[in-house]
Amino acid sequence: QVQLVESGGGLVQAGGSLTLSCAASGRTFSSYVMAWFRQAPGKEREFVAYITGRNYNTNYADSVKGRFTISRINAKNTVYLQMNSLKSEDTAVYYCAADTSWGVLSKLAREYDYWGQGTQVTVSS
């Protein structure tokens, strides 16, 4: 029922920045836990960050702490991922995901029930 539309991916040099956006449908967006995951070719989908619906608590993967910032504007039904100091290792397809159920906050992809189509981020050395 929830549709997620991602945008903002592209090609950037190492050390540069990109901001990804994910627009979501639904009147109860403010109750959703929103997350970003990424997947490089041949690798498992990897947790990047999540943000809770109302208190805006956040959690980050160790690999992106201090460089990436997840945020949301509930009035716009949109979640963002600001990526700074990008490294070649950040190259992946980035997906936003929504957890519309009340449950334990998770870094596991299988706990999220809606996904965007993904947007490619390529970081050149």
Side-chain angles (χ1 to χ4, degrees):
Q1 295 184 38
V2 176
Q3 296 183 350
L4 306 175
V5 181
E6 304 168 27
S7 61
L11 175 65
V12 63
Q13 289 187 325
S17 299
L18 283 175
T19 298
L20 307 182
S21 299
C22 177
S25 64
R27 293 181 62 190
T28 58
F29 174 79
S30 62
S31 70
Y32 304 162
V33 175
M34 299 296 298
W36 289 94
F37 290 78
R38 65 187 183 185
Q39 188 166 23
K43 296 186 180 295
E44 294 183 2
R45 192 161 296 188
E46 175 189 23
F47 169 77
V48 176
Y50 71 63
I51 184 167
T52 61
R54 277 295 186 187
N55 60 18
Y56 309 123
N57 286 343
T58 58
N59 193 286
Y60 297 91
D62 288 343
S63 59
V64 306
K65 285 181 180 177
R67 299 188 299 119
F68 291 11
T69 302
I70 189 170
S71 62
R72 67 196 295 162
I73 301 177
N74 285 341
K76 296 182 178 180
N77 275 28
T78 302
V79 64
Y80 305 91
L81 184 68
Q82 180 180 325
M83 305 183 294
N84 298 322
S85 302
L86 283 161
K87 306 174 181 179
S88 60
E89 302 96 291
D90 297 317
T91 295
V93 177
Y94 283 71
Y95 299 89
C96 74
D99 179 7
T100 62
S101 301
W102 293 101
V104 178
L105 297 175
S106 181
K107 301 177 182 179
L108 300 176
R110 67 175 181 264
E111 298 298 329
Y112 292 83
D113 46 6
Y114 294 95
W115 293 84
Q117 80 286 354
T119 185
Q120 177 71 47
V121 173
T122 302
V123 183
S124 61
S125 301

